[in-house]
Amino acid sequence: MTDPATDPTRVLVLNGPNLGRLGRRQPEIYGHTTHAQLADHLVETGRGLGLEVEVRQTDSEAQMIAWLHEAADGSVPVVLNPAAWSHYNIAIADAVAQIDAVVVEVHLSNIAKRESFRHHSVVSAYVTGTIAGLGPGGYDLALAHIAASL
Ligand code: DQA
């Protein structure tokens, strides 16, 4: 049994396709921080906020949906970067819609300032809020919001 007074709240940070290549992937857009560095940093940020952060990345839609179901079943807050799925994947949006805990959508880049196909996210209608364009710092802000909302 968990004791909310002593056990840190679990938070899932879920990153979608191609984000495993951070640091090598178009660094002029996504920066030089690798996914491993981002993950280590967010675990540290979470620790400072009293959160137990677990960072996962997948290129598999089925895997991402399973993780979103896990969050829905456990009422686990989520920081989600759906990456390209944001722009067309209704199955991911449907899975997010089942989560009653806080879900913050994060995009490293400012999707509103890029190609028009990136301007709309089908996931956004089902999340608590969205942060875009602030680089890795967007994830820190999302975690701070989750910590403050508990
Ligand atoms: C992204 C923006 C998406 O348009 C893109 O497909 C990504 C990353 C971002 O973090 O800026 O893969 O979600």
Side-chain angles (χ1 to χ4, degrees), residues 17-19 25 29-30 81-87 106-111 114 117-118 139:
N18 295 302
L19 293 171
R25 173 193 184 195
I29 297 174
Y30 299 110
N81 186 341
W85 290 326
S86 316
H87 311 302
V106 170
H107 298 280
L108 291 155
S109 64
N110 182 354
I111 53 176
R114 298 183 61 196
F117 66 84
R118 296 186 203 274
Y139 290 85

Side-chain angles (χ1 to χ4, degrees), residues 2-149:
T2 56
D3 173 2
T6 50
D7 294 325
T9 300
R10 254 185 97 216
V11 177
L12 291 177
V13 176
L14 303 179
N15 286 321
N18 295 302
L19 293 171
R21 295 181 55 79
L22 284 178
R24 279 171 293 171
R25 173 193 184 195
Q26 295 175 284
E28 68 285 4
I29 297 174
Y30 299 110
H32 293 277
T33 304
T34 66
H35 191 270
Q37 289 167 337
L38 176 68
D40 288 348
H41 171 75
L42 295 178
V43 168
E44 273 311 303
T45 298
R47 200 166 287 147
L49 293 165
L51 305 173
E52 187 185 314
V53 172
E54 198 179 320
V55 183
R56 303 177 186 172
Q57 189 276 328
T58 185
D59 296 329
S60 152
E61 177 185 353
Q63 178 65 83
M64 179 59 83
I65 290 172
W67 289 342
L68 293 168
H69 290 170
E70 179 187 334
D73 290 342
S75 285
V76 181
V78 174
V79 177
L80 173 66
N81 186 341
W85 290 326
S86 316
H87 311 302
Y88 68 91
N89 195 312
I90 306 300
I92 298 288
D94 283 348
V96 172
Q98 297 170 51
I99 302 173
D100 55 13
V102 173
V103 180
V104 182
E105 180 179 353
V106 170
H107 298 280
L108 291 155
S109 64
N110 182 354
I111 53 176
K113 218 163 97 172
R114 298 183 61 196
E115 304 96 318
S116 58
F117 66 84
R118 296 186 203 274
H119 292 180
H120 183 65
S121 164
V122 297
V123 174
S124 293
Y126 305 103
V127 301
T128 310
T130 301
I131 299 168
L134 304 184
Y139 290 85
D140 293 295
L141 291 174
L143 291 175
H145 173 76
I146 289 170
S149 70

